[in-house]
Amino acid sequence: MTDDGARDVPETGEEVGAPGTTAVPAPGPVRAKADAAANANAGAATGLDAAAVAVRVEEGLVNKAPPEPGRSVSQILRANVFTRFNALLGTLFVVVVVVGPPQDALFGLVLVANTGVGVFQELRAKRALDRLAILTAPRARVLRDGQLAHIATGGLVQDDVLDLRIGDQVAVDAAVLAADGLEIDEALLTGEAEPVAKQPGDTVLSGSFVVAGSGLARATAVGGQAYAARLQAQARRFSLVRSELQQGTNQILRGLTWVMIPAGALLLFSEFFRSHDTFQDAVRGSAAGLVAMVPEGLVLLTSLAFAMGAIRLARRRVLVQELAAIEGLARVDVLCVDKTGTLTRPGMRLIHTEVLGGWPDARIAEVVAALAADDEAPNGTVAALAAHYPDPPGWTVTARVPFSSARKWSGLTFAGEGTWLLGAPAVVGAGLPAEAAAAVARHEEAGRRVLLLAGSAGSASSASSLDGEVRGGPVSPPDARPAALLVLAEELRDETVATVRYLLDQGVTIRVLSGDAPRAVAAIARRAGIPAEDEPCDASALTDDEVAARIGSVSVFGRVRPGQKLAAVRALRQAGHVVAMIGDGVNDVQALKEADLGIAMGSGSGASRSVARVVLLDGTFAAVPQILAEGRRVIANIERVARLFVTKSAYAALIAIAVGVAGASYPFFPRHLTIISTLTIGVPGFVLALAPGAPRARPGFVRRVLNFAIPAGVAVAFAVLAADLIAHATPGVSQQQERTAALLAAVAMGLWVLVLVALPPPAADAAGSGRDGQSLAARAGLVLAMVACLVVLFAVPVARTTFGLQLPPPGVLAAEAGVVLVAIAALSIWRVRPP
């Protein structure tokens, strides 16, 4: 049983009302709407029965859920296995196995291991996200057999009668049967910012959402026939959407591909037609050169960093619906938040009722209780009123104007009891006495929410005209007489102050956009630690364009309408900011969709969760710093990994070009590249891809990677070629010793490149970025561990034989050490040069 009286039902195709289930009739207001609809639509009062549902299921008239979000298992396998680099390396693996010793084909095992790790981690991330996504999967209320039931949207069938309430996202196309002030926001579909009033006979489209009132609607198009069926997949998307990191990585890979083609062709020509190598040595040399140029692990470790970030956030009950959102928040410099439910706790309490105009206290209690009892889907404000005044008098409602964020008030006409309005004093309180106005100001300055209860002498017939009058905007009856001020208190969340302080320290500007009174919003903002010394802005007196013009300089806005939130976010983005929006209500949906990163509270409306890229399932503001830190961690780690892989591709291409021009033999066996890649790229890259801590994110990913990798590649290539030339020119040095000398130079330089990548960057390269949080001892330990592995390879006879390792004479080693030190010094000096 759910809070609104609905019951969960079995999946479509099972019998509704089967033995063991309890029939729950629809609540009174829903029954009233159903009875009204039944007058014009036979069967609307009860909805479909089990037999009718079964017939439609058999005919395929089911709102089939969209395919599983993101990639299926087979798609994940194809994406990780069938890549152009894997095809190249796989071909070279087969060739080397045919013509050479098997140890020269060890790079194939590394390739298989990399692919296996990528598949495993992506499947692991997918399972973690799918488990969390079940908690936010969309559901709908329907009438079946006269009972109100909650079912998954994938279980809806043609002609189901939907019960629509404020905050619902419409799951199918439907025709309105009954409307009680029903207003639909279709902005996500049509771009129309203003809500559209719906009357019986009108159409509501899937993907739109209810912003005011309620109603019943019959499903007319389900599944793939619905107008916005594809929107349903947005709430559970697992995809590596385009981002600066992914765009930059793809740009680097395209550039490397264009470098590899001529360099590889030159190397092949030289090995087979100009060098004096045997056919087998020419094949192995060519394979070694081509393998070295392939950044085989870059895409893998990029995906791994994103996937592991999503898994870590999932453990904190943060659902990442698009993986690039992890990167997105790390780049945010402006955060727009609502007050209620974000800075403050979701609930509130009525602390004071100040009667105005001589109304009897008992009369005020009856009216407030009646107003609260009529709301089928009470928000926190109405729930607080109902908790304080729990005994409604049972009056009959003859007309109503439901609350909406744009109107900022609601009204009911009761038979024989007149018309009563409840809303913001600034909207409802025309002619408010000076003493009452002062009381409103005093409470708002203290950060409290104040509602004005006003009565109108109009009868039921005049209330009907009132209902039509307000469709154009927030207009209240001119004869409304103030009756009472209802003062509600909100409490800051426990984590709000610490979270705000952290964000401000990280250079994130915070803008508060709330529908409450500006003074009350500013008071809460100050308590939270948000700078609000300037006068808060009353958006009710501003146009959308005026709000957009002031959002850059004003921290707090009150009386903000949904369209103004959208205009503010759009203006910030146009000014070059990266904007995140946190919201939980239907009034936040358009802004959430427009923002670079939309973040929804798990306790918020289904509409807000469906458009957000991140959902905070526990509804806690404290999760925002965790997302920020995770995003920075992913960005920094991918950049470190990219520097390693692009450096390797750069020096491999330079060596291939030099060898091809000189007509010399390639200085490595393929097995040597397995050692070099594993000790200087593979294992360190895997560790760095998962390293904790990170500096602030900065734009310019590709520029920074190339600025590091090209000079580093030149330095490594110089050391390797010089070491190979020294060994080749020394009498009595065998080919195996020559290549071992080249290997030692490559490993030494590769480890120094690792030091430069793993340790904090110099001040010239890290202005404003700070330290990344991982201890120097741990990173130094990583480098020393790789050195120890190399020592073991030379110390164990079997390893020396397997990998073809033979130390050159001491004189060659001494000369090689001098060359390596020169290269290290040159690279280090370049790294600390002034900007």
Side-chain angles (χ1 to χ4, degrees), residues 334-337 509-513 551-557 572:
V334 178
L335 177 64
C336 297
V337 300
T509 300
I510 301 177
R511 294 287 185 259
V512 183
L513 307 174
I551 190 64
S553 57
V554 178
S555 301
V556 176
F557 288 80
L572 289 168

Side-chain angles (χ1 to χ4, degrees), residues 33-238:
K33 284 185 293 185
D35 292 340
N39 293 333
N41 301 275
T46 59
L48 299 177
D49 57 22
V53 171
V55 169
R56 285 160 176 79
V57 171
E58 185 176 351
E59 294 175 350
L61 300 176
V62 182
N63 190 46
K64 293 181 180 178
E68 281 295 308
R71 299 191 288 200
S72 64
V73 173
S74 61
Q75 289 172 326
I76 290 174
L77 289 172
R78 286 197 299 271
N80 283 275
V81 174
F82 299 108
T83 68
R84 62 179 181 271
F85 289 142
N86 281 3
L88 174 60
L89 293 176
T91 301
L92 294 174
F93 171 77
V94 173
V95 171
V96 171
V97 167
V98 171
V99 303
Q103 55 265 41
D104 274 336
L106 287 175
F107 67 88
L109 300 180
V110 176
L111 174 65
V112 172
N114 282 346
T115 302
V117 170
V119 171
F120 172 76
Q121 291 295 358
E122 190 167 345
L123 288 175
R124 182 184 175 199
K126 178 178 173 63
R127 286 194 299 269
L129 296 184
D130 281 352
R131 283 195 297 269
L132 282 184
I134 292 173
L135 302 178
T136 61
R139 300 180 72 80
R141 283 180 301 275
V142 297
L143 282 171
R144 287 188 178 176
D145 282 324
Q147 304 166 24
L148 186 62
H150 272 175
I151 67 171
T153 56
L156 294 172
V157 300
Q158 188 99 0
D159 298 321
D160 256 330
V161 177
L162 284 74
D163 175 41
L164 301 177
R165 304 182 190 178
I166 187 169
D168 290 347
Q169 186 169 32
V170 183
V172 296
D173 294 352
V176 177
L177 302 177
D180 188 1
L182 181 64
E183 296 180 23
I184 301 293
D185 190 321
E186 299 176 345
L188 299 183
L189 305 176
T190 66
E192 174 59 47
E194 294 300 323
V196 179
K198 296 293 184 179
Q199 302 298 333
D202 291 344
T203 298
V204 292
L205 299 175
S206 60
S208 59
F209 51 94
V210 183
V211 294
S214 58
L216 295 177
R218 187 190 301 279
T220 57
V222 297
Q225 300 301 314
Y227 182 78
R230 299 176 73 178
L231 289 180
Q232 300 302 316
Q234 292 296 326
R236 296 182 59 194
R237 181 182 295 271
F238 179 90

Side-chain angles (χ1 to χ4, degrees), residues 714-759:
V714 171
V716 176
F718 166 76
V720 170
L721 292 171
D724 182 63
L725 183 61
I726 291 171
H728 184 74
T730 302
V733 175
S734 67
Q735 184 189 56
Q736 188 166 325
Q737 289 176 315
E738 287 181 27
R739 298 192 174 184
T740 301
L743 177 144
L744 290 172
V747 171
M749 290 301 301
L751 290 175
W752 187 250
V753 169
L754 175 60
V755 169
L756 296 179
V757 170
L759 296 183

Side-chain angles (χ1 to χ4, degrees), residues 145 175 192-193 372 424 441 483 508 551 640 645 649 726 790 806 816 822:
D145 282 324
E192 174 59 47
V508 178
I551 190 64
R640 293 187 189 107
F645 277 99
S649 296
I726 291 171
L790 181 66
Q806 184 179 1
E816 179 180 357
V822 169

